[in-house]
Amino acid sequence: MNNIDKRAPLLTETRLADAWAELQNHASQGTALKADAYRLAFADPEFLLRRETRGIRFQLEMLKPDLDQAEQGIESTVVVFGSARFRAPEDAQENLRLAQLSGDASALALAQKQVRNAHYYDQARLFARLVASDSMHRRPEERLFIATGGGPGIMEAANRGAHEVGALSVGLNIALPHEQSANPYVTPLLNFKFHYFALRKMHVMMRAKALVAFPGGFGTLDELFEVITLVQTRKSKPVPIVLFGTDYWKRLINIDAMVEEGVIAADDLKLFQYVDEPEAAWAVIQKFYGL
């Protein structure tokens, strides 16, 4: 056994070097790959992007983040959603200063709204710090990790809070023509990008042990009602659903009217809770799981 050449490949080693080198060579030269029947199927972007291979792409978007999170020990997450347009207080103040100098009335009105809503950024950041700080000292199977949509605004704030205490955090980003881009506080090994909203939503729920929804727009509402519906219809196990910012949510959605009209049951109001402080949001989760 001692005479075995240590440079010899292992029986279990798999080499995809030729296909990978071909892709890298074309990318570095900025040249388009031509259709080639002889190219390996998994190294053929034209083939993988065909309508007929959509199912394969679904599988890949399902599998890659799942394997990577498992390798990093991410089993349970607290998902934080909210507006991508809320800014950190210091950035909001700078935008206000520039808007005042510009004399542009519409820019000034927008900057004033950003300043007014910047406190939500700080609260999301503090909430994430609370979760991450507590979980870092627990056994691996009891740890909760912050997960967000990976973008700016409230998502950035939550990833930032976890990053500041040295904790891992997940970013489940989505490729969009505008607005969405990965924030710098997501743990690089857990910074994922999706093409399909459906697969992204599945990954949101697969490990979610709680959802905290800060004020936001259509994307936030989409995720919120997705989770509420899954829990209401018992397609998912009950999890804490926390609406941060009582005044915002009650102005936005008249849930009581839905009960009055009989489209939901009075008991459905128990599916979520309103809070206004980071400590209160964390307390809801702690109480639910007996932490």
Side-chain angles (χ1 to χ4, degrees):
M1 294 295 291
N2 292 333
N3 294 326
I4 293 178
D5 187 348
K6 294 182 179 180
R7 294 173 298 175
L10 299 175
L11 288 174
T12 56
E13 186 176 18
T14 303
R15 289 197 171 274
L16 305 177
D18 291 342
W20 180 241
E22 182 179 11
L23 288 175
Q24 285 186 312
N25 185 49
H26 280 78
S28 62
Q29 294 180 8
T31 56
L33 283 168
K34 296 180 180 179
D36 186 352
Y38 192 66
R39 184 179 294 123
L40 291 171
F42 55 79
D44 189 339
E46 286 81 5
F47 171 70
L48 289 176
L49 293 175
R50 289 172 62 115
R51 179 181 60 82
E52 295 88 346
T53 57
R54 183 176 291 135
I56 297 172
R57 297 196 298 274
F58 283 177
Q59 293 178 53
L60 293 174
E61 283 210 343
M62 184 69 178
L63 187 60
K64 180 184 175 182
D66 190 38
L67 292 176
D68 287 351
Q69 288 182 83
E71 288 176 358
Q72 297 301 316
I74 309 296
E75 297 297 335
S76 302
T77 61
V78 174
V79 181
V80 180
F81 272 96
S83 177
R85 304 184 184 192
F86 288 171
R87 298 288 179 262
E90 60 274 18
D91 294 334
Q93 287 292 343
E94 176 62 13
N95 287 344
L96 178 61
R97 185 185 70 81
L98 295 174
Q100 289 170 335
L101 291 174
S102 73
D104 185 327
S106 60
L108 180 58
L110 177 60
Q112 289 170 337
K113 291 177 184 177
Q114 289 180 343
V115 170
R116 184 176 72 238
N117 289 318
H119 71 284
Y120 286 120
Y121 184 103
D122 270 347
Q123 290 171 326
R125 184 176 170 185
L126 177 55
F127 169 75
R129 289 176 66 98
L130 291 171
V131 175
S133 296
D134 181 272
S135 294
M136 288 175 67
H137 304 292
R138 294 185 177 274
R139 294 179 298 175
E141 63 271 20
E142 294 180 340
R143 290 174 186 164
L144 292 168
F145 297 90
I146 292 294
T148 77
I154 292 298
M155 296 172 282
E156 175 186 295
N159 290 124
R160 183 175 179 177
H163 175 79
E164 287 171 340
V165 297
L168 301 176
S169 71
V170 181
L172 303 172
N173 218 302
I174 187 78
L176 295 176
H178 60 86
E179 191 175 85
Q180 185 85 331
S181 59
N183 72 68
Y185 301 105
V186 179
T187 301
L189 290 173
L190 298 168
N191 193 6
F192 305 108
K193 185 178 183 179
F194 292 85
H195 175 73
Y196 298 104
F197 267 111
L199 273 298
R200 184 198 195 206
K201 288 181 177 182
M202 288 192 68
H203 275 288
V204 166
M205 287 304 297
M206 281 173 62
R207 290 172 166 80
K209 296 300 184 288
L211 174 79
V212 180
F214 282 77
F218 292 143
T220 303
L221 291 171
D222 179 43
E223 296 293 347
L224 172 62
F225 281 106
E226 181 90 18
V227 176
I228 290 178
T229 302
L230 288 171
V231 175
Q232 182 205 40
T233 57
R234 300 185 182 180
K235 294 292 287 184
S236 291
K237 293 181 180 179
V239 296
I241 301 172
V242 181
L243 304 185
F244 198 106
T246 304
D247 181 63
Y248 176 84
W249 289 110
K250 289 193 172 182
R251 283 191 300 122
L252 185 68
I253 309 168
N254 189 346
I255 301 290
D256 291 334
M258 299 172 74
V259 176
E260 291 169 6
E261 294 297 330
V263 295
I264 64 171
D267 280 349
D268 290 335
L269 298 178
K270 299 176 183 177
L271 295 174
F272 56 87
Q273 297 184 53
Y274 298 101
V275 302
D276 294 292
E277 298 294 337
E279 294 82 2
W282 179 222
V284 169
I285 299 169
Q286 288 178 302
K287 181 179 179 181
F288 188 92
Y289 291 109
L291 299 176

